Structure formats: C-alpha cells, structure tokens
C-alpha cells in the first residue's frame, strides 16, 4: 500500500474518534406523552414533556399561555421537575400540562419545541379525541325526575340567637 493512502485512512479514523465523544455528549432527546387519548367534554388529560440533555447545556422550555390549539385549553402548567443522571453529567427535565376541551372533535396537537443552547428540538405530535356526552332528549325525566316542593319548618335553634340578641338590645 501507498504511505499516502495509509496516512489518509489514519487521519480519517482519527477525526472520527475525536468527533465521536462530542457528538455523543451533545445528544438531546425530547418526548411528549399524553395519559389519555380519548376524553369526554370537560374531562382533563395530562401531557408530560420530557427533555434529556447534558447538565452543562442551557434549556428553554416552550411558552404555552392558555391553549395548545384552538379548542384545547391549558388548565395548569406544573413546575419543571429536574433529575440528575449519570453522576450529574446529564439531566432529565419533566414538565406536566393539564388540558381539557369543551368541543367534541379529533385534535392534532403539534410537537412541543424546546431550545437547547439555542438549537431547536421537537417532540412527536400527539392526537386527542374528545367525545360529547350523549343526552336523551326524548326522555328528560328518565334519570332525574322532578322533585316535589317541601315546606321547611322553623326550629328554635334557627332563631334562638336572633331572639336573645333582640331581647338584649331592647333591655
């Protein structure tokens, strides 16, 4: 073999070996999970956003105000929970979003985007199916019949404090 050819191969292998730890150390993963894919109108679901990254990196979580998409409202955003992994070299950050919807439909929830060292990373997209509550309009008294009017009597303990205060003021 040619010495020039062997030196090129060694240089390429050297560059690969030098670049591998850096590529492995900068690995960032973003994942989103929803605890329920189907809801009735007004029920709540929780979305958990997980970001795994090196401990020395800077993270910016997505800014969510009050809706994820039109029709899906955000009720609560929990504080991020941070766990240190691999003897403090990596971090796992979890943030939980409580959502609900008051319109029956199939919703596409777009990926969450986080910034790690000003580079964007995205989770997978999610789906949520919201069903309406079935109502029997032909038989409205079937489950909750009309209640009769009841007379409530006046008892001494209901008016005793008023009676004694009035008597005291007159005296």
């Amino acid at each position: 073999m040619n010495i020039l050819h062997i030196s090129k191969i060694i240089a390429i292998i050297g560059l690969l070996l030098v670049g591998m730890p850096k590529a492995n150390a900068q690995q960032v993963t973003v994942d989103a999970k929803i605890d329920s894919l189907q809801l009735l109108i007004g029920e709540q679901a929780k979305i958990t956003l997980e970001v795994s990254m090196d401990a020395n990196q800077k993270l910016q979580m997505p800014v969510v105000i009050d809706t994820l998409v039109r029709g899906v409202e955000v009720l609560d955003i929990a504080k991020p929970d941070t766990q240190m992994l691999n003897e403090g070299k990596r971090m796992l950050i979890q943030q939980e979003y409580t959502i609900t919807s008051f319109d029956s439909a199939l919703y596409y929830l777009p990926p969450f985007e986080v910034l790690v060292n000003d580079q964007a990373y995205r989770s997978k997209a999610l789906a949520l199916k919201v069903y309406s509550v079935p109502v029997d309009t032909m038989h409205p008294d079937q489950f909750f019949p009309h209640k009769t009017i009841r007379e409530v009597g006046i008892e001494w303990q209901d008016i005793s404090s008023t009676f004694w205060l009035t008597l005291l003021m007159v005296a």
Side-chain angles (χ1 to χ4, degrees):
M1 273 198 180
N2 186 337
I3 293 181
L4 186 60
H5 183 68
I6 292 174
S7 64
K8 285 182 183 179
I9 292 174
I10 291 174
I12 291 172
I13 290 173
L15 286 174
L16 288 175
L17 289 176
V18 169
M20 271 181 35
K22 185 177 181 183
N24 189 22
Q26 299 297 325
Q27 185 178 12
V28 175
T29 59
V30 180
D31 189 28
K33 297 180 237 175
I34 188 166
D35 68 350
S36 181
L37 298 174
Q38 300 177 0
L39 300 176
L40 288 176
I41 286 178
E43 286 185 332
Q44 298 177 4
K46 294 197 184 293
I47 296 175
T48 305
L49 177 63
E50 292 183 347
V51 180
S52 175
M53 62 184 210
D54 285 343
N56 59 355
Q57 293 177 313
K58 187 180 86 176
L59 172 67
Q60 183 178 350
M61 296 295 273
V63 177
V64 178
I65 307 297
D66 59 352
T67 59
L68 286 180
V69 293
R70 184 176 174 162
V72 179
E73 298 178 19
V74 178
L75 300 177
D76 184 44
I77 301 173
K79 283 184 157 183
D81 179 33
T82 304
Q83 297 177 17
M84 299 306 286
L85 306 172
N86 295 346
E87 299 163 2
K89 295 177 185 171
R90 294 197 49 86
M91 291 191 305
L92 176 66
I93 298 101
Q94 295 179 324
Q95 187 162 31
E96 197 171 82
Y97 301 86
T98 305
I99 61 168
T100 190
S101 179
F102 296 102
D103 295 322
S104 60
L106 175 61
Y107 293 100
Y108 167 78
L109 304 178
F112 287 91
E113 184 175 289
V114 299
L115 295 177
V116 177
N117 290 345
D118 297 324
Q119 184 176 354
Y121 294 90
R122 290 180 171 217
S123 69
K124 64 185 176 195
L126 300 172
L128 177 66
K129 176 67 178 163
V130 180
Y131 292 98
S132 62
V133 178
V135 177
D136 186 5
T137 57
M138 298 301 291
H139 304 96
D141 296 335
Q142 181 179 4
F143 296 105
F144 303 106
H146 294 289
K147 303 286 185 198
T148 59
I149 297 174
R150 289 179 46 188
E151 289 220 18
V152 179
I154 299 174
E155 296 195 15
W156 173 249
Q157 60 226 41
D158 295 334
I159 61 167
S160 64
S161 59
T162 307
F163 174 78
W164 292 114
L165 288 173
T166 305
L167 190 62
L168 183 64
M169 289 182 68
V170 170

